[in-house]
């Protein structure tokens, strides 16, 4: 597929229709229950696998469908419009495998990517630690070389889809005396590696259907063939990964916001007060117009960043950060306004907008808080 900055190609719009049909038919009906019960949306995973939307970014040479960056964003956006938690299935499969795509040997790619493409395994991404969130280079998890193996000790925090993923890309310090940022290496851990255990699922504000857990490593021995980056290249690969995947978080935010706007438009046309539909009041119309305006500018920014991700443009770090930051801030405002437009009905669980407001909040925090995005943008401006 080819695309430029200002239009989506016909194939992209056909893709949107196809994902929307799956999302409305098979994912939306389970979204409230996944949230209410903090349960992984297995129905969504099954529906996404059946239609090849679970990990669309994987290239055809690794048995994937080879969707470009914009197509992958459209898949995530349309799933998020129905269910934020479910959109983390394609999003985190990309996040977990992107370090391999960018930094691993051909053998490692061939070993893992086809299994994900076939829908037989999911991948998580382990960068953050309790004491190393925004300051990733201060991580303490270590891997010590022992012959042809590495022995990993430490922990990772807030890992999305932990417990449902089979594989984990984990960044660990391999040279404690080495230069900060150049002393980290990426490895693939397996769910059944001896010494690898998980913490209890976190109890969260939103995206409750996507499990978030700690990872613990107690003398986990892994062969060197499971190294996912050059020795000392792990943090650079992890951060380059985020340049690409922040665009997908922007897409998730756009999708959640679109879901809330659609629900608000439908409601204000039906709801009557003072003898007419509340949609007839200019105060309500101005709110809707502002919501749609913010949403569309966020979408355009995400799509422009997706084009840059696909081409590997030099200014992708700026655009990835800007897209994620702008779209997540817009999603927070739009979902909050959607709750407002539904009045009391917006505040209760009979309608989806309160869930969408809670789900939107995380997009301002993960893959780097929006303060960190502004640091990334400023760094590119000032260099
Ligand atoms: C639900 C969920 C899922 C997640 N999934 C994953 C995952 O799959 N993999 C993974 O590796 N991580 C994951 N994370 C971790 C997430 O990326 C971090 O929480 C995030 O990067 C922030 O780190 P922190 O929580 O330690 O906040 P801190 O770094 O402690 O920040 C606290 C506050 O200080 C601000 N701050 C920090 N430094 C600066 C600065 N220099 N200038 C200005 N402000 C600053 C921050 O913006 C924030 O407001 C997840 C988190 C959550 C909650």
């Amino acid at each position: 597929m080819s695309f430029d900055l200002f239009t989506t190609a016909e194939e992209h719009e056909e893709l949107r229709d196809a994902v929307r049909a799956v999302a409305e038919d098979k994912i939306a009906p389970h979204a409230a229950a996944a949230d209410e019960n903090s349960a992984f949306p297995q129905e969504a995973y099954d529906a996404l696998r059946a239609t090849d939307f679970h990990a669309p970014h994987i290239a055809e040479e690794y048995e994937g469908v080879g969707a470009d960056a914009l197509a992958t964003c459209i898949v995530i956006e349309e799933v998020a419009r129905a269910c934020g938690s479910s959109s983390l299935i394609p999003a985190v499969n990309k996040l977990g495998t992107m370090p391999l795509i960018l930094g691993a040997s051909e053998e490692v790619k061939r070993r893992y990517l086809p299994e994900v493409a076939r829908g037989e395994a999911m991948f998580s991404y382990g960068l953050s630690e309790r004491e190393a969130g925004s300051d990733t280079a201060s991580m303490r998890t270590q891997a010590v070389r022992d012959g042809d193996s590495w022995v990993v000790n430490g922990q990772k925090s807030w890992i999305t889809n932990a417990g449902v993923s089979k594989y984990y890309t984990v960044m660990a310090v391999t040279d404690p005396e080495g230069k900060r940022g150049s002393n980290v290496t990426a490895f693939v851990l397996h769910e059944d590696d001896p010494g690898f255990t998980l913490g209890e699922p976190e109890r969260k504000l939103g995206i409750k259907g996507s499990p978030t857990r700690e990872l613990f490593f107690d003398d986990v021995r892994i062969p060197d063939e499971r190294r996912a980056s050059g020795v000392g290249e792990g943090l650079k690969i992890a951060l380059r990964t985020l340049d690409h995947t922040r665009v997908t978080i922007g897409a998730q935010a756009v999708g959640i916001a679109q879901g809330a706007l659609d629900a608000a438009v439908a409601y204000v046309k039906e709801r009557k007060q003072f003898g007419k539909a509340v949609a007839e009041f200019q105060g309500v119309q101005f709110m809707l117009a502002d919501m749609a305006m913010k949403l569309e500018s966020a979408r355009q920014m995400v799509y422009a960043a997706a084009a840059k991700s696909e081409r590997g443009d030099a200014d992708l770090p700026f655009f990835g950060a800007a897209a994620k930051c702008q779209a997540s801030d817009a999603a927070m405002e739009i979902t909050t306004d959607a709750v407002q437009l539904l009045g009391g009905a917006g505040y209760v669980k009979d309608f989806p907008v309160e869930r969408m407001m809670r789900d939107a909040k995380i997009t301002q925090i993960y893959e780097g808080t929006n303060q960190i995005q502004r640091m990334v943008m400023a760094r590119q401006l000032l260099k």
Side-chain angles (χ1 to χ4, degrees), residues 125 127-128 133-134 158-160 362 365-367 369 371 375:
Y125 172 91
L127 178 64
S128 307
S134 300
W158 307 291
I159 304 308
T160 299
I362 191 60
I365 295 173
Y366 58 17
E367 300 212 14
T369 65
Q371 285 74 29
M375 280 169 55

Side-chain angles (χ1 to χ4, degrees), residues 110-124:
R110 295 220 170 271
R111 178 167 178 189
Y112 293 106
L113 297 180
E115 212 179 324
V116 180
R118 290 194 301 267
E120 294 165 3
M122 292 206 289
F123 243 93
S124 288

Side-chain angles (χ1 to χ4, degrees), residues 92 95 124-136 156-161 171 202 204 206-207 210-212 362 364-372 375:
V92 174
L95 176 66
S124 288
Y125 172 91
L127 178 64
S128 307
E129 299 180 3
R130 262 181 228 153
E131 304 301 329
S134 300
D135 183 12
T136 52
K156 295 284 169 185
S157 292
W158 307 291
I159 304 308
T160 299
N161 288 350
M171 274 45 82
E202 302 288 353
K204 305 197 295 287
I207 55 156
S210 167
T212 312
I362 191 60
Q364 296 180 303
I365 295 173
Y366 58 17
E367 300 212 14
T369 65
N370 282 0
Q371 285 74 29
I372 297 303
M375 280 169 55

Side-chain angles (χ1 to χ4, degrees), residues 85-352:
S85 294
S86 299
S87 68
L88 284 163
I89 294 169
V92 174
N93 272 336
K94 180 162 180 176
L95 176 66
T97 56
M98 206 62 197
L100 276 65
I101 292 167
L102 294 173
S105 66
E106 196 52 35
E107 292 74 42
V108 170
K109 290 181 197 171
R110 295 220 170 271
R111 178 167 178 189
Y112 293 106
L113 297 180
E115 212 179 324
V116 180
R118 290 194 301 267
E120 294 165 3
M122 292 206 289
F123 243 93
S124 288
Y125 172 91
L127 178 64
S128 307
E129 299 180 3
R130 262 181 228 153
E131 304 301 329
S134 300
D135 183 12
T136 52
S138 68
M139 73 174 68
R140 294 183 189 161
T141 296
Q142 277 198 26
V144 176
R145 184 123 203 186
D146 182 21
D148 289 341
S149 306
W150 296 84
V151 179
V152 185
N153 279 289
Q155 63 82 225
K156 295 284 169 185
S157 292
W158 307 291
I159 304 308
T160 299
N161 288 350
V164 288
S165 285
K166 183 172 177 185
Y167 300 119
Y168 298 78
T169 303
V170 169
M171 274 45 82
V173 172
T174 46
D175 179 9
E177 307 306 321
K179 188 166 166 249
R180 189 182 138 93
S182 300
N183 61 350
V184 169
T185 304
F187 300 92
V188 179
L189 269 74
H190 297 186
E191 60 175 354
D192 56 359
D193 280 334
F196 176 24
T197 53
L198 302 174
E200 288 299 307
E202 302 288 353
R203 294 167 304 139
K204 305 197 295 287
L205 174 73
I207 55 156
K208 292 187 179 192
S210 167
T212 312
R213 301 171 73 166
E214 283 190 290
L215 316 180
F216 297 104
F217 316 116
D218 182 10
D219 282 337
V220 183
R221 182 174 287 273
I222 52 173
D224 187 54
E225 301 95 77
R226 289 213 233 142
R227 194 160 37 77
S229 74
V231 174
E233 296 296 313
L235 191 60
K236 289 179 197 124
I237 294 293
L239 298 182
R240 272 181 61 210
T241 291
L242 295 178
D243 289 338
H244 291 275
T245 57
R246 282 173 180 151
V247 186
T248 65
I249 298 304
Q252 181 187 40
V254 165
I256 294 170
Q258 184 71 61
L261 178 61
D262 291 349
V265 167
Y267 187 86
V268 297
K269 288 202 277 193
E270 290 295 319
R271 174 72 173 168
K272 290 196 172 53
Q273 289 294 285
F274 302 99
K276 50 180 157 175
V278 294
E280 291 183 43
F281 298 116
Q282 194 179 50
V284 167
Q285 292 174 1
F286 280 14
M287 279 181 76
L288 289 172
D290 281 342
M291 290 158 76
M293 177 174 63
K294 284 178 201 162
L295 176 57
E296 201 51 51
S297 62
R299 179 178 282 117
Q300 294 305 320
M301 176 66 103
V302 168
Y303 290 3
K308 288 179 178 292
S309 167
E310 183 66 23
R311 292 191 298 257
D313 286 357
D315 55 2
L316 173 63
F318 176 89
F319 272 80
K324 189 265 193 197
C325 189
Q326 192 202 7
S328 59
D329 284 350
M332 202 61 240
E333 291 171 19
I334 292 163
T335 54
T336 306
D337 282 350
V339 170
Q340 189 70 20
L341 284 175
L342 268 72
Y347 203 72
V348 297
K349 293 189 183 230
D350 300 340
F351 291 87

Side-chain angles (χ1 to χ4, degrees), residues 16-17 19-25 27-28 31 73-87 251-263 266 295 299 335 352-353 355-356 359:
R16 183 189 303 282
D17 292 344
V19 186
R20 186 168 290 199
V22 174
E24 288 185 345
D25 198 27
I27 296 176
C73 280
I74 290 171
V75 171
I76 293 166
E77 177 187 331
E78 288 300 325
V79 176
R81 179 174 167 271
C83 175
S85 294
S86 299
S87 68
Q252 181 187 40
V254 165
I256 294 170
Q258 184 71 61
L261 178 61
D262 291 349
L295 176 57
R299 179 178 282 117
T335 54
V353 288
R355 166 170 55 84
M356 291 165 170
D359 285 353

